[in-house]
Amino acid sequence: MKLLYSFVFFLVCNAVLSQEPSFTCSHQGVHIGERTVIDDFRSDSIDIIHTVISADFSAVSGQSLVGNTRLLIQPKLDGIERIRLDFEGLNVDSVVGLGVASFDHQDSILLVNFSSELGLNQSYELTVFYHGTPIRDASSWGGFYFSGSFIFNLGVGFAADPHSYGRVWFPCFDNFIERSTFEFFITTANDKRASSNGALISETLNQDSTRLFHWKLDQPIPSYLTCVAIGTYEVVNDQVTGENGVIPIQLYARAGDTNNLKSSFIHLKDAIVAFEHAYGDYKFNKVGYSLVPFNGGAMEHATNITYPISAANGGLGSEGLMAHELAHMWWGDNITCQTDGDMWINEGWASFSVYLFFEEVYGRKAYEEAMLEDLAYMLRYGHHYEEGFRAVSGQPHEYVYGDHVYKKGALVAHNLRGYLGDELFFSTIEKFMDQYQFKPVSSDTLQQFFTQESGVDLSFFFRDWVFHGGYNVIVLDSFKYNGLGSTTLFLQQKLRGVDQFHDNVPVYYKMYDQNRNELNGVGSMSGKFAEIEFPTAFEPVLVVINPKNELAQARTSEFRSITNTGFLALDHMLWQVNVNSLSDSAWVWFDQLWTVPDPIKDWRNKPYRMNDNRYWKVSGIDVENAEMSAIIFYNGKTQGSTGFLDVSLVSETEDSLVLLHRASSRDDWNEYEFYEKNILGDPNNASGYVELSKVLPGEYVFANADQSVLSAPLVKGRDDYRVFPNPTKGQVTIVNEDGEIRRVRIFSMDGKLVTETSLEKGADQIQVEIKSSGIYLYELLNDDQQVIDKGKLVFQK
């Protein structure tokens, strides 16, 4: 399933920076409420083998149906005398079947009582007769829709608990575990056609001029993947040659929509071929789409996707949506998440499949661009909109259809590709699809199977990317050519939204010499720092980490081969660069790193608190050939499409904002020489920009020059003020014999205040709670808030 909304980045003065595709995979900011704990183990005791749904929708004006459902069931345990079915919103007239004694229908539960125990492993039929108007979900996403001449359902309800929503039109076990084969007997008005799951067995004109459509699906699916779509349809028939032969394609649309549909679906066959190549053979008997007048998204009903008319408008702007829904036939319809807490298996992998579709049709750069769009969005907004850096597995009820499931889930799948490499990644998926064909799976299932079949220990990957939130990024501090055919890379791992360093992280690199010859390779690192020696056939002048965006980390990169003057729109860098003159070509890499920059070395004399959210790096070959200027926007707002960038610096005032620069990791940060700040007439609106008259290689970061916060000048230095022990595990003693010291502040190296405590005369002991081991800064202040002394403390957890 995919939800739709348009998202536009508006810069100050209404300048548009970038815009996402019209149809995206997120349901941003929806809070559904606390989850009801549901332990649904009915499938362990009773198996629903086959379901036959008969529904008469011919009375369109009444927006109602008259129907019955026949269930073929088989007990798996002794002592079964009663069955609890999910059935909501319709009126039950009767329940008949061998041994049925009575029934009770209240709210969403239908209890069927038998006169005696059902025999173990014997088959029984019961039929439920009912009528009424099928309901729509309280969120308006899910359930039944009577819209003009259309009738259709969406099998998921956002506000429903559980989210699966088959129960609104037939009695079932409405969960992600129970699977059944299905038949559908759908009656419509004479001028309508009904499309449903599976193959059309027959179409009959009844004596009362209604039409009866018989559909049959031989592959077992969960209840929420069943569907019906009724309209004045024509059928566009086509086919594609798949791995196991011809796959029929059936597209249902009104006559006036068919030409647009064909144009918008011109790459549908490419998508089928791409997904079979990536995931293995198509498991169902047809590929189908039915167009409906619904603008809130699409739904991956097995073999018959419910798809918005507005997305099949003749253009290709929504073909990512088409591919996303098709990918569900593997991720969601063939294998299905066991619970909605692992919905990322359905939705994240379907979103990742859109990257693969773009790669198949438009090439690798299109794949990377789609991935970077999701990555930039999540690094900037995801934790704000969903209250933290969330793990993709174990989502609470209110975020099952949120950004971490769709977008972060896609990034996790992309990273697994990077960890395994293409050959192992795709071959393991194909085996997975066969092993768990038409079965429910969990994140643990994925971890165990992928580890076993690939031969790669993925416990760290699943710990870091599936079961924990946040991001890491590997940055290159420096490199050294050893002169003996090898180069040593000095690497640092940084974190965002998580405290634990990732382990066994692949390090993809590309080295260049001055003539732009290149050498690719991959290594691995764990922990915060690493020195890795690689063989090299030349002396490198540039090393690029993650050159083809092999991993989605806390970095969004832009590469430009500059051969002409003019404007460079660096959407993922969030810079606007202009090449003013060019003496020869230049290769330039622009990186925005969404993490904490290295600390200031001379922290006593440089009163800067740096942005802990992002910094930038400019590097390349022959960069000096290009004279460039740039504009960098800053924004400290906590709302809207332009905010969430510099909240820690400019949420109140922009007066102290400065731009720092350092040429390399060997250098210290200093205020940049070639920039001017424009507050856009108001120093308190938390937005503006800085204009760089020159863009030089090196790193850049916004900071606050705030004497009162970090680096007030010392009133005096006194050796008799003692702070110990050092290192410490958290308890700090401060000797303060004359009582002049009245307060202590402790900061992390990036300038964040950890604790501030009042002191008494003598020796005070304080307990400091820290998140991670490392070097911290302290200040001792007098009654006038003047800094008397300062120093460093090493904390060890």
Side-chain angles (χ1 to χ4, degrees):
M1 173 182 41
K2 209 168 188 185
L3 311 180
L4 282 59
Y5 68 86
S6 295
F7 182 78
V8 181
F9 291 105
F10 288 100
L11 296 180
V12 291
C13 302
N14 297 322
V16 177
L17 193 158
S18 67
Q19 184 172 349
E20 287 199 352
S22 299
F23 298 100
T24 71
C25 306
S26 289
H27 191 51
Q28 176 187 319
V30 172
H31 294 264
I32 302 170
E34 294 299 320
R35 174 170 182 78
T36 302
V37 177
I38 298 175
D39 294 322
D40 194 345
F41 302 111
R42 288 174 291 175
S43 296
D44 293 336
S45 57
I46 296 172
D47 186 16
I48 301 177
I49 299 171
H50 187 61
T51 303
V52 181
I53 301 173
S54 298
D56 184 346
F57 290 96
S58 60
V60 177
S61 60
Q63 298 191 355
S64 62
L65 69 83
V66 176
N68 66 80
T69 295
R70 184 169 77 250
L71 302 173
L72 177 64
I73 64 173
Q74 189 175 83
K76 300 166 71 174
L77 296 175
D78 287 320
I80 301 296
E81 295 183 337
R82 184 172 69 174
I83 297 176
R84 176 171 65 88
L85 297 167
D86 300 307
F87 194 42
E88 183 175 357
L90 294 171
N91 303 304
V92 177
D93 300 313
S94 62
V95 180
V96 299
L98 183 64
V100 172
S102 63
F103 71 90
D104 182 24
H105 186 208
Q106 295 186 20
D107 297 323
S108 61
I109 303 300
L110 173 62
L111 295 175
V112 180
N113 301 301
F114 293 87
S115 56
S116 60
E117 293 183 2
L118 302 181
L120 180 64
N121 295 327
Q122 295 185 30
S123 296
Y124 295 84
E125 279 193 359
L126 63 90
T127 303
V128 181
F129 293 85
Y130 48 88
H131 71 279
T133 299
I135 64 174
R136 188 179 300 182
D137 184 69
S139 68
S140 293
W141 211 110
F144 262 82
Y145 297 78
F146 295 82
S147 179
S149 62
F150 289 89
I151 303 172
F152 60 95
N153 77 302
L154 300 175
V156 163
F158 285 146
D161 198 354
H163 290 298
S164 49
Y165 224 35
R167 62 184 178 273
V168 299
W169 71 301
F170 68 99
C172 55
F173 290 172
D174 207 12
N175 56 40
F176 298 106
I177 298 173
E178 181 63 33
R179 285 174 175 259
S180 167
T181 56
F182 282 87
E183 285 184 81
F184 306 86
F185 292 87
I186 307 298
T187 302
T188 74
N190 184 39
D191 60 338
K192 303 294 193 302
R193 300 184 64 88
S195 64
S196 194
N197 308 90
L200 180 61
I201 304 302
S202 65
E203 176 183 344
T204 305
L205 178 62
N206 298 321
Q207 290 185 352
D208 61 357
S209 295
T210 60
R211 292 189 179 273
L212 176 64
F213 296 87
H214 176 198
W215 291 85
K216 186 177 182 182
L217 180 68
D218 293 326
Q219 296 82 21
I221 60 171
S223 55
Y224 80 101
L225 294 177
T226 60
C227 71
V228 64
I230 299 171
T232 54
Y233 285 132
E234 289 192 1
V235 185
V236 178
N237 287 295
D238 204 343
Q239 63 184 34
V240 63
T241 301
E243 292 188 0
N244 290 332
V246 172
I247 302 172
I249 298 172
Q250 294 181 350
L251 310 177
Y252 278 69
R254 295 174 302 188
D257 296 323
T258 55
N259 286 335
N260 281 345
L261 172 63
K262 292 174 186 177
S263 297
S264 292
F265 277 41
I266 193 172
H267 293 305
L268 174 60
K269 294 181 184 180
D270 296 317
I272 297 170
V273 171
F275 296 156
E276 280 209 322
H277 179 71
Y279 306 141
D281 61 297
Y282 188 70
K283 307 297 185 185
F284 297 96
N285 59 1
K286 83 168 192 289
V287 170
Y289 290 76
S290 293
L291 299 192
V292 299
F294 180 73
N295 293 323
M299 180 65 206
E300 65 271 19
H301 299 124
T303 75
N304 188 36
I305 294 160
T306 303
Y307 197 80
I309 297 171
S310 57
N313 57 11
L316 299 179
S318 302
E319 61 181 351
L321 176 64
M322 173 200 70
H324 177 105
E325 299 307 322
L326 176 68
H328 275 306
M329 301 303 113
W330 287 265
W331 298 98
D333 293 16
N334 179 37
I335 60 100
T336 306
C337 59
Q338 283 186 356
T339 68
D340 59 11
D342 266 334
M343 186 58 69
W344 79 279
I345 297 173
N346 291 19
E347 298 296 349
W349 282 86
S351 297
F352 165 74
S353 301
V354 177
Y355 308 164
L356 293 181
F357 166 72
F358 288 143
E359 184 174 23
E360 172 73 17
V361 176
Y362 301 109
R364 172 71 188 191
K365 292 303 294 183
Y367 172 105
E368 293 179 36
E369 183 62 26
M371 184 277 292
L372 287 171
E373 286 288 340
D374 283 347
L375 178 60
Y377 177 93
M378 289 305 299
L379 290 169
R380 184 173 181 179
Y381 302 106
H383 55 295
H384 292 290
Y385 291 152
E386 295 184 358
E387 302 177 293
F389 292 91
R390 296 184 171 275
V392 295
S393 179
Q395 285 293 323
H397 182 71
E398 60 268 32
Y399 294 126
V400 163
Y401 296 105
D403 292 328
H404 281 85
V405 167
Y406 285 76
K407 294 181 185 291
K408 180 69 180 294
L411 300 174
V412 170
H414 166 74
N415 281 352
L416 185 56
R417 181 183 185 180
Y419 271 62
L420 290 178
D422 279 8
E423 184 176 352
L424 265 182
F425 177 71
F426 291 115
S427 64
T428 302
I429 291 176
E430 188 166 348
K431 295 174 184 175
F432 180 71
M433 289 290 164
D434 289 337
Q435 177 72 28
Y436 290 96
Q437 179 174 325
F438 304 129
K439 290 184 175 68
V441 297
S442 67
S443 294
D444 289 326
T445 309
L446 264 70
Q447 177 179 338
Q448 294 167 13
F449 186 89
F450 273 67
T451 294
Q452 178 181 340
E453 289 298 324
S454 69
V456 178
D457 181 5
L458 293 170
S459 57
F460 291 120
F461 175 86
F462 275 81
R463 179 199 70 186
D464 296 333
W465 286 107
V466 176
F467 300 119
H468 287 87
Y471 304 81
N472 77 326
V473 62
I474 305 299
V475 297
L476 178 70
D477 282 338
S478 60
F479 62 90
K480 176 185 177 184
Y481 179 60
N482 300 319
L484 298 174
S486 69
T487 297
T488 301
L489 304 187
F490 299 90
L491 303 167
Q492 182 179 175
Q493 182 176 184
K494 295 187 175 186
L495 303 175
R496 178 175 176 82
V498 65
D499 295 328
Q500 183 176 25
F501 288 106
H502 292 197
D503 290 313
N504 295 350
V505 182
V507 181
Y508 289 90
Y509 67 87
K510 182 176 285 190
M511 298 183 185
Y512 296 90
D513 68 6
Q514 188 59 49
N515 295 320
R516 304 184 186 180
N517 297 310
E518 63 183 56
L519 177 68
N520 296 285
V522 61
S524 177
M525 74 169 288
S526 300
K528 186 174 184 178
F529 297 105
E531 298 179 15
I532 308 178
E533 185 175 349
F534 296 104
T536 49
F538 51 69
E539 180 177 359
V541 297
L542 176 70
V543 178
V544 178
I545 302 298
N546 209 34
K548 291 186 177 180
N549 293 295
E550 290 89 349
L551 297 176
Q553 298 181 330
R555 173 198 286 115
T556 48
S557 301
E558 309 261 9
F559 165 70
R560 293 292 186 271
S561 175
I562 300 177
T563 57
N564 295 291
T565 59
F567 178 70
L568 303 178
L570 303 176
D571 294 344
H572 304 309
M573 181 82 164
L574 298 182
W575 283 26
Q576 293 184 357
V577 175
N578 197 68
V579 181
N580 302 308
S581 65
L582 195 65
S583 61
D584 202 346
S585 65
W587 282 7
V588 186
W589 274 262
F590 300 91
D591 293 310
Q592 180 162 216
L593 294 129
W594 298 82
T595 184
V596 178
D598 288 344
I600 291 173
K601 301 178 188 294
D602 185 14
W603 64 273
R604 284 176 173 268
N605 298 310
K606 295 183 178 179
Y608 301 123
R609 175 182 289 179
M610 293 188 290
N611 193 347
D612 60 358
N613 187 55
R614 60 174 180 155
Y615 68 101
W616 304 275
K617 182 178 181 179
V618 178
S619 60
I621 300 176
D622 300 324
V623 180
E624 66 278 5
N625 290 342
E627 291 189 7
M628 298 179 288
S629 57
I631 291 176
I632 311 175
F633 291 89
Y634 62 84
N635 197 299
K637 296 179 180 179
T638 56
Q639 59 184 359
S641 61
T642 60
F644 305 106
L645 289 174
D646 310 292
V647 175
S648 62
L649 297 181
V650 294
S651 57
E652 294 181 0
T653 181
E654 306 152 45
D655 287 338
S656 60
L657 187 73
V658 296
L659 181 68
L660 304 184
H661 174 265
R662 66 177 187 174
S664 72
S665 61
R666 296 185 297 272
D667 303 307
D668 204 359
W669 295 94
N670 291 289
E671 187 169 359
Y672 193 51
E673 181 179 357
F674 305 106
Y675 86 98
E676 291 184 3
K677 181 172 61 177
N678 190 328
I679 62 174
L680 297 175
D682 184 352
N684 302 311
N685 66 358
S687 63
Y689 65 88
V690 298
E691 187 169 0
L692 284 65
S693 58
K694 284 186 180 180
V695 176
L696 298 176
E699 295 178 355
Y700 298 81
V701 67
F702 283 134
N704 272 350
D706 191 345
Q707 297 285 349
S708 68
V709 174
L710 267 183
S711 295
L714 295 177
V715 175
K716 56 183 177 179
R718 292 271 298 274
D719 293 336
D720 54 345
Y721 300 132
R722 289 185 294 143
V723 180
F724 64 92
N726 194 8
T728 175
K729 291 187 179 297
Q731 189 176 76
V732 179
T733 299
I734 301 172
V735 175
N736 179 27
E737 293 180 355
D738 61 6
E740 188 173 1
I741 300 173
R742 303 308 301 270
R743 184 170 292 274
V744 60
R745 295 173 178 162
I746 296 177
F747 298 89
S748 60
M749 287 296 288
D750 60 348
K752 285 186 175 180
L753 182 65
V754 176
T755 188
E756 182 173 358
T757 305
S758 298
L759 300 174
E760 301 296 332
K761 183 177 180 179
D764 276 1
Q765 284 187 344
I766 63 173
Q767 185 69 35
V768 182
E769 298 294 333
I770 59 164
K771 291 185 177 181
S772 59
S773 301
I775 299 174
Y776 290 74
L777 315 176
Y778 70 82
E779 294 178 342
L780 305 178
L781 295 86
N782 62 16
D783 266 335
D784 296 324
Q785 299 299 302
Q786 294 175 314
V787 178
I788 294 175
D789 200 4
K790 60 175 66 174
K792 297 182 180 181
L793 279 170
V794 177
F795 283 88
Q796 298 174 339
K797 292 194 75 172

